[in-house]
């Protein structure tokens, strides 16, 4: 019995009092939470990051053309990755984010997010609206290209051997003659992509070449001419 | 209190998994959101936030 031990009794009194106090303090929050009036968020910067993407004019346009839920989330994720990559202090955040994408959507999902991160989606979108007879066909073009990112997009990395990578690309073009092929690089891989593109250009006929560049990404676009 | 390795569990002790990112919700990353009853509890990583907003609209 508590009353038998005055010291224990006093300690228990303090604890009970603290619990009662905590209960009183937490109760209004719980009430608001269950009444749908309150959200509890440890890192509001993640909320801001996601909300910012949805406010951008870029997303306002894409969302009219992309209806697949998975692609919509991956596009917003790729846009967020692009925002984060501007600051080296975000390296851990980016790594964790990429791991989440792979965990949920697999390596293919990460590739789609990276396509968006490089800015390539704007190029794909431009091609879609330029070459499609209607909005429905443009939507299909964008969704098909993203879903088949493994086929239409080649990521060139800094550790790639230009000769070997060029051979892979030439073999792919010879095998499927894609209407478009996108060669992408980021950061220091730009020089490797140049070397790869030079070799591919010599061996692949019937394609027009254009290039896009921004602060982080370098992209070659091959468009089939016939 | 450091919640880095403190995981959130369901009554009974089963780990609470984030439904969007397949990760176990930790105390220091916990996000409790209104909109459903009971409230939705998620890990607050950017993918889960984006997924929640996609499903529920810009409610936050």
């Amino acid at each position: 019995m508590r009353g038998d031990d005055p010291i224990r009794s006093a300690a228990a009194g303090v604890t009970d009092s603290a619990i009662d106090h905590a209960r009183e303090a937490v109760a209004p929050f719980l009430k608001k939470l269950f009444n749908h009036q309150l959200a509890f968020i440890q890192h509001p910067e993640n909320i801001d990051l996601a909300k910012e993407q949805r406010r951008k004019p870029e997303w306002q346009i894409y969302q009219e053309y992309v209806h697949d839920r998975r692609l919509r989330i991956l596009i917003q994720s790729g846009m967020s990755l692009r925002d984060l990559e501007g600051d080296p202090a975000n390296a851990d955040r980016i790594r964790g984010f990429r791991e989440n994408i792979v965990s949920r959507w697999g390596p293919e999902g990460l590739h789609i997010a990276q396509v968006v991160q490089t800015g390539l989606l704007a190029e794909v979108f431009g091609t879609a609206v330029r070459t499609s007879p209607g909005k429905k066909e443009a939507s299909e073009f964008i969704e098909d290209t993203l879903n088949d990112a493994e086929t239409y997009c080649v990521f060139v990395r800094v550790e790639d051997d230009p000769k070997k990578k060029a051979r892979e690309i030439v073999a792919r073009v010879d095998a499927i003659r894609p209407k478009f092929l996108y060669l992408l690089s980021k950061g220091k891989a730009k020089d490797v992509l140049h070397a790869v593109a030079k070799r591919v250009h010599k061996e692949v006929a019937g394609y027009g070449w254009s290039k896009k560049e921004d602060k982080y990404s370098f992209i070659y676009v091959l468009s089939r001419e016939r | 209190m450091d919640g880095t390795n403190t995981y959130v569990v369901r009554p009974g002790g089963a780990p609470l998994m984030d439904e969007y990112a397949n990760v176990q919700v930790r105390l220091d990353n916990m996000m409790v959101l209104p909109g459903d009853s009971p409230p939705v509890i998620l890990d607050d990583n950017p993918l889960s936030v984006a997924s929640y907003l996609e499903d529920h609209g810009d409610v936050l």
Side-chain angles (χ1 to χ4, degrees):
Chain A
M1 243 176 95
R2 253 180 216 170
D4 295 343
D5 181 347
I7 296 174
R8 189 179 167 192
S9 224
V14 168
T15 306
D16 287 349
S17 162
I19 290 171
D20 286 345
H21 179 72
R23 190 176 288 133
E24 282 170 24
V26 168
F29 289 104
L30 287 177
K31 195 176 171 189
K32 282 187 180 177
L33 205 57
F34 279 88
N35 284 338
H36 305 171
Q37 296 169 328
L38 183 75
F40 171 77
I41 296 153
Q42 287 279 27
H43 299 110
E45 65 273 17
N46 286 337
I47 302 283
D48 293 340
L49 180 68
K51 285 171 76 175
E52 277 166 24
Q53 309 315 317
R54 296 172 64 84
R55 278 198 295 262
K56 286 179 180 170
E58 186 183 5
W59 171 249
Q60 298 298 323
I61 294 172
Y62 294 153
Q63 65 148 356
E64 285 192 32
Y65 288 81
V66 179
H67 308 297
D68 179 90
R69 178 180 176 275
R70 167 176 162 270
L71 291 178
R72 289 170 66 93
I73 292 168
L74 289 171
I75 289 171
Q76 292 170 57
S77 298
M79 290 168 64
S80 291
L81 282 170
R82 198 193 314 156
D83 273 6
L84 291 174
E85 74 182 334
D87 184 351
N90 288 329
D92 285 344
R93 215 170 149 201
I94 290 174
R95 195 177 309 116
F97 193 4
R98 288 163 55 98
E99 285 171 5
N100 289 145
I101 294 171
V102 171
S103 169
R104 179 64 184 89
W105 302 109
E108 299 83 1
L110 182 59
H111 273 158
I112 291 170
Q114 285 178 312
V115 164
V116 179
Q117 184 184 1
T118 59
L120 178 60
L121 182 55
E123 179 65 29
V124 172
F125 181 83
T127 304
V129 296
R130 213 171 40 243
T131 61
S132 304
K135 192 171 179 180
K136 182 173 173 286
E137 291 81 2
S139 291
E140 285 168 2
F141 181 92
I142 294 165
E143 293 197 348
D144 288 349
T145 304
L146 288 175
N147 278 321
D148 285 336
E150 304 284 328
T151 304
Y152 297 115
C153 307
V154 180
F155 290 91
V156 175
R157 304 179 199 288
V158 74
E159 64 270 20
D160 282 335
D161 171 31
K163 197 173 170 184
K164 194 176 164 196
K165 198 72 183 177
R167 265 205 311 268
E168 285 173 21
I169 295 168
V170 171
R172 185 183 300 198
V173 172
D174 286 345
I176 60 173
R177 296 293 293 174
K179 198 171 176 186
F180 295 95
L181 188 69
Y182 304 97
L183 312 181
L184 307 109
S185 67
K186 295 185 68 59
K188 291 174 184 168
K190 176 182 172 180
D191 293 339
V192 183
L193 175 55
H194 272 308
V196 170
K198 205 171 165 184
R199 288 172 178 275
V200 173
H201 192 260
K202 278 184 193 168
E203 296 187 44
V204 167
Y207 279 86
W209 286 67
S210 60
K211 57 185 177 183
K212 310 280 171 193
E213 186 172 15
D214 66 19
K215 206 159 56 165
Y216 309 111
S217 307
F218 192 82
I219 301 167
Y220 277 109
V221 182
L222 284 74
S223 313
R224 200 177 68 204
E225 290 170 336
R226 56 182 184 274
Chain B
M1 179 179 170
D2 176 13
T4 306
N5 292 312
T6 306
Y7 291 97
V8 180
V9 296
R10 292 180 177 284
L16 182 71
M17 300 300 290
D18 176 287
E19 63 183 274
Y20 293 120
N22 293 341
V23 294
Q24 201 170 334
V25 177
R26 298 196 315 269
L27 192 60
D28 73 328
N29 279 6
M30 185 170 69
M31 172 167 72
V32 185
L33 299 170
D36 287 312
S37 188
V40 178
I41 301 177
L42 300 172
D43 182 286
D44 71 355
N45 69 79
L47 176 67
S48 293
V49 175
S51 302
Y52 182 85
L53 291 177
E54 183 57 28
D55 287 350
H56 296 270
D58 299 327
V59 293
L60 298 176

